[in-house]
Amino acid sequence: MEYKNGLRAGIPIALGYLSVSFTFGIIATKYGLSVWQATLISLTTVTSAGQFAGIQLMAAPGLYLDMLISQLTINVRYSFMSIYLSQILHSKFRGVWKWILGFFITDEIFAVAASRKVVTRSFFAGLATLPWLGWTLGTALGASLGEVLPAAVMSALGLAIYGMFVAIVVPPAKENRYILLAAGIAAAISIAFTYLPYLKKVSSGIAVSVAAIVAAAIAAAVHPIPDDDPENGAEKEVQS
C-alpha cells in the first residue's frame, strides 16, 4: 500500500522529468555524446542542473577542477535534504536502504517526502521509481530524436530547461521576496560572466559556482532564517 501511494505521488514528478530530460538528451547529443552515453548519465546521476552543467564542461576536456567545483556546489544541497529527511524516517528505514534510496533524492522528490510526518522505505521507493524512469526514458528519447528532428524544433525544445527553472523559482518568490533577490543576484552574476571582458573567459562551471555561492551568501546575510526546533516526535508505527 505504501509503495502504491509513493507511485501515485511520483506521477506528476515523472511527467515533468520526462519533458525536461528530453531536452537534456537533445543537448547532450549536440555536445557530441552518443545516445547510450547520454542515457547512462541520466540513469546513474539523476541531477538536472548538475547534468546540464556537466556536459558543457565535458565538451572542453581537461577542466577537471572546474567540474569538481561546479558539481559540489550544485549538488551539495542534497546533503542538507538528506539530513532533514533522516529526522522523519521510519525506524526500519536504515542501513543500506539509506544508501540506496538516498541516490534518488531530488528537489521535487524531497519536497513530497518532506511533507509527510513519517517516510517509510516503501513509500520513498515508490515515490522515486517513476521519476527515475521518466528522467532516464526522456533522455533516451531526446537523444534519439534529437538526431532527426529539425533544427528549429530542437532549438525550441532547448528552452524547456529554462522554463522549468522559472517554474521552480516564481511560486516561492511570490511569497518570499528574498528568494527573488537571490535569483536576481544569481542572474546578474551569470550575465556578467557571459558578457563582461575577462569574466567571460571564465569556464561555465566556475561561473555557476560563483553565482550560486554569492547569491546565497548575500540573501542569507540580508535575511537570515532563524533556527527552529525540529519536531522529532514523528510516529514510527507506520508500516514500511
Side-chain angles (χ1 to χ4, degrees):
M1 181 61 71
E2 280 287 284
Y3 183 77
K4 291 181 179 179
N5 291 338
L7 283 176
R8 284 194 290 268
I11 291 175
I13 302 175
L15 294 176
Y17 283 2
L18 186 67
S19 60
V20 174
S21 62
F22 189 93
T23 303
F24 172 76
I26 291 176
I27 295 178
T29 53
K30 176 183 176 182
Y31 279 105
L33 274 67
S34 64
V35 174
W36 74 265
Q37 287 173 329
T39 304
L40 185 62
I41 290 175
S42 287
L43 182 70
T44 58
T45 307
V46 199
T47 167
S48 58
Q51 290 180 213
F52 278 97
I55 58 173
Q56 295 181 46
L57 293 173
M58 290 169 65
L63 300 178
Y64 301 115
L65 181 59
D66 292 8
M67 176 73 80
L68 175 63
I69 294 174
S70 65
Q71 293 303 311
L72 284 176
T73 304
I74 292 171
N75 296 317
V76 71
R77 69 187 189 277
Y78 297 130
S79 299
F80 300 108
M81 294 177 189
S82 299
I83 292 173
Y84 177 83
L85 288 181
S86 68
Q87 306 303 308
I88 58 174
L89 297 180
H90 187 274
S91 59
K92 294 183 179 180
F93 198 153
R94 60 180 183 271
V96 69
W97 287 102
K98 289 184 178 180
W99 288 87
I100 295 174
L101 298 183
F103 164 79
F104 297 99
I105 291 180
T106 65
D107 298 327
E108 294 78 13
I109 290 176
F110 166 77
V112 174
S115 66
R116 294 173 61 92
K117 291 183 178 180
V118 179
V119 179
T120 66
R121 292 181 306 186
S122 298
F123 177 83
F124 194 87
L127 176 63
T129 298
L130 293 181
W132 179 54
L133 293 176
W135 184 255
T136 304
L137 177 61
T139 299
L141 291 174
S144 301
L145 297 178
E147 299 178 350
V148 298
L149 288 177
V153 176
M154 290 179 59
S155 178
L157 289 172
L159 298 176
I161 183 63
Y162 304 107
M164 183 195 73
F165 289 137
V166 170
I168 291 175
V169 172
V170 170
K174 290 181 178 180
E175 301 178 0
N176 189 332
R177 60 178 179 175
Y178 296 102
I179 295 178
L180 182 61
L181 171 66
I185 293 173
I189 295 174
S190 296
I191 292 173
F193 274 105
T194 301
Y195 295 106
L196 293 183
Y198 301 109
L199 287 182
K200 64 182 181 182
K201 296 180 180 180
V202 177
S203 68
S204 60
I206 298 297
V208 169
S209 300
V210 171
I213 294 173
V214 172
I218 293 177
V222 173
H223 185 66
I225 299 176
D227 293 330
D228 294 325
D229 293 329
E231 294 183 3
N232 296 322
E235 299 179 2
K236 301 295 184 179
E237 291 79 14
V238 179
Q239 297 298 319
S240 65

